[in-house]
Amino acid sequence: MSADRSDRSGGLSRRRRRLDRDRIVEAALASIEADGVEQMTMRSLGRDLGVEGMALYRYVSGREDLLEAAVASLLHGLLERVEAAETTSWQQYLQHVAHEVRRIAITNPVAFPLVISRHPATPWLRPPLRDIDVVEHLLATLTARGFTQEQAVETYKAFTSFLVGSLLLEVSTRRAEHIGAVEHPINEGGAQVPEQDSPHGLTHAPHVERMREQLSEDHSAKEFEIGLESLLNRIESSVSR
């Protein structure tokens, strides 16, 4: 069989793979990581899967349903992994949850902001711990280890605020590694669109210019650990009063 015919056969084989909701969600996440959320449409996704875009509506009700499913997929298995860790203190527990969520974020830096921006299970739950079962497990773990209800809720709020702030900042620096800059940015209204890191225009900011190299260094993992340790120390001080 010629290489050309083999390639066509392989392409047909891939197209004939059974289409289901899980496969569509997997393809959607791959598309988001490659090209961004805005570029992912039902038509483009159908093209990636070798089918007409309308064929996807047998499995998802539309783009919104697909984005919700993508968020659920990102968080799938989080609770099971946290339970499997069998941590022996609330500090270890929160550290493990934090590192599990960070692993999701840095593995999916383009899609992760969806976890923050999409609707949670109920309006009073906070991302990224937006699943009722995960929040129930966290609150039950904290109260079982001596936290009052008020302390457990305050810890949940402070913990989720830390995760959102820290991880959104970290993934924002990683997005450029996954989505290349557009050669010619869309320029509406004659706006000045910065295309690259440039020293020009820093003459009025000598401190920024001198420290530019240090400012550009990536110490995200270390900063995450320092911030998490500081948060745990604050929680410990609060619950020991």
Side-chain angles (χ1 to χ4, degrees):
M1 183 183 294
S2 69
D4 180 65
R5 185 174 178 183
S6 176
D7 289 344
R8 289 199 303 271
S9 175
L12 288 172
S13 176
R14 285 191 293 275
R15 288 184 177 84
R16 286 170 181 158
R17 281 179 52 199
R18 181 172 174 270
L19 194 65
D20 57 27
R21 186 177 174 90
D22 288 344
R23 186 180 167 210
I24 293 170
V25 172
E26 180 183 351
L29 282 171
S31 173
I32 290 170
E33 286 301 318
D35 302 312
V37 177
E38 297 79 8
Q39 300 301 318
M40 195 277 293
T41 66
M42 300 297 280
R43 179 178 295 180
S44 68
L45 196 57
R47 187 167 57 247
D48 292 344
L49 290 165
V51 299
E52 292 293 329
M54 292 301 295
L56 306 182
Y57 287 93
R58 291 181 56 192
Y59 307 95
V60 294
S61 61
R63 190 173 186 271
E64 288 298 301
D65 181 32
L66 189 52
L67 292 177
E68 292 296 330
V71 170
S73 177
L74 287 176
L75 298 177
H76 179 70
L78 173 62
L79 181 56
E80 289 76 9
R81 293 191 297 274
V82 169
E83 289 179 327
E86 298 182 352
T87 53
T88 57
S89 69
W90 65 263
Q91 291 96 332
Q92 274 190 349
Y93 176 83
L94 291 180
Q95 284 177 327
H96 188 73
V97 173
H99 285 112
E100 283 292 335
V101 176
R102 181 173 181 265
R103 183 188 61 78
I104 294 169
I106 63 178
T107 304
N108 307 273
V110 183
F112 182 74
L114 288 172
V115 176
I116 309 301
S117 62
R118 303 301 295 175
H119 309 296
T122 64
W124 35 265
L125 290 183
R126 295 184 170 206
L129 305 185
R130 43 185 290 144
D131 179 86
I132 290 179
D133 291 335
V134 173
V135 177
E136 170 65 20
H137 194 272
L138 183 143
L139 296 176
T141 298
L142 295 179
T143 53
R145 293 176 181 175
F147 284 58
T148 65
Q149 286 188 185
E150 292 76 12
Q151 290 170 338
V153 170
E154 288 175 2
T155 297
Y156 165 69
K157 290 181 177 180
F159 186 56
T160 50
S161 294
F162 162 75
L163 290 177
V164 167
S166 179
L167 294 177
L168 278 184
L169 178 61
E170 181 169 3
V171 298
S172 70
T173 65
R174 293 174 180 265
R175 283 172 63 93
E177 301 172 8
H178 291 72
I179 299 181
V182 179
E183 287 188 18
H184 302 289
I186 297 174
N187 189 351
E188 297 179 342
Q192 293 184 354
V193 182
E195 297 185 54
Q196 60 184 359
D197 187 18
S198 171
H200 301 302
L202 294 181
T203 54
H204 69 289
H207 291 81
V208 174
E209 187 169 15
R210 280 200 304 272
M211 302 178 202
R212 180 169 168 240
E213 184 176 347
Q214 291 95 324
L215 288 170
S216 66
E217 293 174 354
D218 182 10
H219 300 293
S220 300
K222 181 180 179 181
E223 291 166 4
F224 184 82
E225 295 300 332
I226 292 172
L228 180 57
E229 184 177 353
S230 177
L231 173 65
L232 297 181
N233 288 339
R234 292 204 313 271
I235 294 171
E236 186 169 11
S237 175
S238 175
V239 299
S240 63
R241 289 175 187 168

